[in-house]
Amino acid sequence: MKNINLRIIGVIIFLATCLYTTNISGQEKTKKDTTAARLLQIVRNAFNQNNEQQFYEATDNYRKYLLGEDNMLGYYLCWKNEVLYDVNHNHFYRALRKTMRMQAEMERRGDIRELYMTTQLRGIIYSLRGNIPLAHQYFEKALEQVDHSQVNNLASIYMDLANIEMDTQPEDAMRHLDCAIEIIKGSDSPYDYCNAIGFKVIVAYAMRDWKAVNKAFTEYIGMKDKLGDNFSTTYYYYALICKAAADKRYSDALQLTYNLTNTTDIYKFQTEIYELAGDTERAFSTQKHYMAIKDSVNNVIMSEEMMGSASDLEYAEARNMSIAKRNTQLQYAITIVIFTFLLIGMIIYRMNKNRYLRKLQRQNHDLLIARDKAQEANRMKISFLRNMSHEIRTPLNIISGYAQIISDPRTLTSDAERADIAKRISHSTNTIVRIVDEILDISSKESIHYIDKSDLVTCNDLLRQLAEPYQDEESGFSVRVELLLKDSCKIVTNRKELQKILNHLMDNAIKFTPQGGTITLRSYHHKLDQNMICFSVTDTGCGIKEGDEEKIFEHFYKSDIYKEGVGLGLSVARRVARQLGGDVILDTRYKEGSRFILQLPKE
């Protein structure tokens, strides 16, 4: 657990001062421009708000104004701030796409001098996503691209390098940070110098160089009274924590962590402080909390990235459809021209004309079939990408994380904790197997058009068997069985597939039924058709929100993305029911939870 990853700390200064540095160089042309000053202030105010639409409108208005004033440096800096805003809100896919568009516009306009901005932004994005080698390459490239006379920009890149090297190569990190400090000294920027010294306290802490921590901290705190309002508090509490740890005041260091605004940073610092204090049991416990929060954040980021990828695929699909439409129109136009020429020579070429028309119709039909297949393939691909990455990667991350904990000889865990970890690994493994089984099941059902229906099934006995495994008190919910059919009532169907349908409906009910809830199984005759048998599964969960009544039966659709599963259960259940001559529907009149009804003919 040594050298806990503090990369997120390094980006705090970049986000906190991005609007400040915009004024240093990009706004030189607008010092006397009251309109520019007013628009910039609106952007600053919106940057610290959670209203994305308000911020994007503010930056869009500001960029348009700067573009009209031919202030290209300010224009790109404003765009850069928007990318950093997306990074700060975990929209990494969106930030990367904007960075690529920003680079393309710089190249199109010939603004090569500013290309370092996009390179540096890519380094920041990749470092926060955990790809440190690639981030290092981009920062090194940014150092080659940046104009070394722009000292503030040069210093910020050196600090970015120090940030990503802090955990694995702290000596190199200190060397790059010292370069940044020397550059800032010559720029007469006390605010930036204060930030750099505060950051130096943290790098020295990562090196476990307590002498360097004390020296940097003394200089940092000494600037507090000297600078007054210009003193940077970006690293203030981080520096206090590092100083307390260096002095072995571990209780004070732990208490100071609660002043941090980032929950992840709190757990990371607490884990390391407990380790320094020799309390491995609390260090391990805190590390588990940190891993849980990190997994949650990664899942949200992954979901956002998958949605961004899906949007791109949808855009590509729409573009392909537009091209196909134009091609179809072109084909129709060609057909008319050909028909006109054939009409002129109808007497001579009548037989040939009919043959050519038939050939053209077959080609059009083949093109339509090919287009429909391509559209369906794209839709399935989008659905698959949206669900598989999250549902499979999450249990894999759990297995990998706990395997590392168990295999680490320095981790002292009890037998009970090891048993709990083994249980969680087994559960995650079973989750992956279940997901693969569901995908194989839906694949087989898609290719089958006929199911053998030669089994004689007793309706009430089937429901009793379905409810039996959940009759114990440990299930956390109660299962009631209401049999409105006679015990002698039987249907001719496929027993195995019927059991699969009911198991899918039961699994869905269990997933959304809270502790203490009730699941009710019923069998009865259809009110309007006595030759139709109905089985219903009713739960007391959250229900289905309005507008999702049919979406829940689509492949890979999930009303709650945080629930386990890939969204295939209801889809498989409905498809098999229809192959058996029946259907699965949602009872929209029931409002106390969800009620799904399986309708099947008696024979």
Side-chain angles (χ1 to χ4, degrees), residues 463 466 501-510 519-522 524 535-539 590 594-598:
L463 286 192
L466 181 65
I501 296 172
L502 292 175
N503 284 332
H504 280 306
L505 297 181
M506 190 67 179
D507 290 343
N508 188 73
I510 292 171
I519 297 176
T520 304
L521 307 178
R522 294 184 65 195
Y524 56 96
F535 301 94
S536 68
V537 180
T538 306
D539 62 63
Y590 180 70
S594 301
R595 174 178 292 153
F596 290 91
I597 302 173
L598 167 60

Side-chain angles (χ1 to χ4, degrees), residues 25 92 124 134 151 201 205 261 374 379 389 438 451 564 569 572:
S25 54
F92 293 101
I124 293 171
L134 189 57
V151 292
V201 176
Y205 169 82
T261 58
R379 187 186 68 80
S389 179
E438 287 184 358
I451 296 178
E564 289 187 354
V572 172

Side-chain angles (χ1 to χ4, degrees), residues 483-582:
L483 306 175
L484 304 184
L485 296 174
K486 295 180 180 180
D487 283 345
S488 60
C489 182
K490 300 179 180 180
I491 61 174
V492 178
T493 185
N494 185 300
R495 177 185 293 274
K496 182 179 178 181
E497 297 300 332
L498 175 55
Q499 288 175 335
K500 277 189 177 181
I501 296 172
L502 292 175
N503 284 332
H504 280 306
L505 297 181
M506 190 67 179
D507 290 343
N508 188 73
I510 292 171
K511 190 181 301 181
F512 291 95
T513 299
Q515 290 287 326
T518 301
I519 297 176
T520 304
L521 307 178
R522 294 184 65 195
S523 64
Y524 56 96
H525 281 289
H526 196 284
K527 291 183 179 180
L528 303 180
D529 187 353
Q530 290 298 309
N531 193 44
M532 190 72 72
I533 297 297
C534 296
F535 301 94
S536 68
V537 180
T538 306
D539 62 63
T540 56
C542 58
I544 305 300
K545 66 180 182 180
E546 186 176 355
D548 282 0
E549 291 84 354
E550 287 301 317
K551 289 182 180 180
I552 57 176
F553 292 102
E554 296 177 0
H555 293 348
F556 306 111
Y557 182 82
K558 296 173 64 176
S559 58
D560 186 349
I561 63 174
Y562 297 104
K563 292 291 184 181
E564 289 187 354
V566 294
L568 288 175
L570 293 177
S571 175
V572 172
R574 170 172 276 190
R575 185 173 186 86
V576 175
R578 290 178 175 177
Q579 289 174 334
L580 293 175

